[in-house]
Amino acid sequence: MEDWLTKALDKATEKGMKDGMEKGMDKGTAGKLIKCVDSLMKNEGYSKEHACIVLDSTVDEYEKAKKLLAEAAIVV
């Protein structure tokens, strides 16, 4: 493959990955985060904040995950 084409494809791939990361998590990741946080709150008596810390996450990420799945449920 031509060198300029390889560089262009590499740059486009990098941009796509960056854009995807900026948009946030996918539905599978969101579901796992919600399930784990909810499980820790229910089974271990953790607060939402503590459960998120234990899972190396944030309450903001948890709330975004809930919103993502709620929006996905509306679309279906």
Side-chain angles (χ1 to χ4, degrees), residues 14-31:
E14 183 179 325
K15 182 182 181 327
M17 291 177 65
K18 182 181 175 191
D19 290 349
M21 294 295 283
E22 288 175 359
K23 288 182 182 177
M25 64 186 82
D26 62 20
K27 290 185 280 187
T29 303

Side-chain angles (χ1 to χ4, degrees), residues 22 25 27 31 33 35 44 54 65:
E22 288 175 359
M25 64 186 82
K27 290 185 280 187
L33 176 60
K35 183 177 179 179
E44 301 298 326
V54 167

Side-chain angles (χ1 to χ4, degrees), residues 29-67:
T29 303
K32 287 178 188 174
L33 176 60
I34 293 166
K35 183 177 179 179
C36 290
V37 170
D38 289 350
S39 179
L40 285 172
M41 291 190 305
K42 178 183 174 190
N43 298 325
E44 301 298 326
Y46 288 2
S47 68
K48 185 186 317 178
E49 294 78 10
H50 187 70
C52 289
I53 290 168
V54 167
L55 295 169
D56 195 29
S57 188
T58 65
V59 173
D60 187 50
E61 289 174 333
Y62 173 80
E63 297 299 334
K64 286 179 182 178
K66 296 214 32 132
K67 182 178 178 184

